[in-house]
Each structure stands twice: as structure tokens, then as C-alpha cells.
Amino acid sequence: MSDLRGLSAREALRLLSRIGMTATMAGDGFVLEQSPLPGSALVRGDSCALTLARRVPVATTGGSQ
């Protein structure tokens, strides 16, 4: 499974459609969480659950002191 986090709902749906999967979505905006997780094995015809939010989460670099 590809990492869909950060993609718009439209982009995620387009990618899922290309690989033969459907989606269920909660919220709107950009993909915040997904199930199955990135790297999981794909099964054609399965559904991917997407949690969406209006803003893309900011990645933290961590370790700065």
C-alpha cells in the first residue's frame, strides 16, 4: 500500500482507483491517517479507510536543542 498521507482526497481517490481499491473517507481536505497502513500488502477490490483534515500535518524534525 502506498503512503497516501498528505495527499488531497482527490489525489488519494485517483491513486486508489488506479490500483483497484475503493475508499471510505471521514472528514475533508488532506489524508491524515489511512488503513491499511503504508507498506501493507494490497488486495484488489479491498477498501481503504482515510481520515482527512483541512491542513496537512507539519512534520517535526525533532532533536533540535
Side-chain angles (χ1 to χ4, degrees):
M1 169 56 97
S2 298
D3 188 350
L4 305 175
R5 293 171 297 182
L7 295 180
S8 70
R10 180 176 292 164
E11 292 167 327
L13 286 174
R14 189 174 296 138
L15 191 146
L16 289 170
S17 176
R18 280 191 223 143
I19 60 176
M21 294 184 77
T22 59
T24 57
M25 296 185 287
D28 58 350
F30 297 89
V31 178
L32 184 63
E33 297 176 10
Q34 70 183 76
S35 178
L37 296 172
S40 298
L42 296 176
V43 178
R44 190 173 192 81
D46 271 3
S47 182
C48 181
L50 303 175
T51 302
L52 308 170
R54 281 285 187 188
R55 294 180 183 251
V56 177
V58 177
T60 58
T61 56
S64 59
Q65 294 179 3

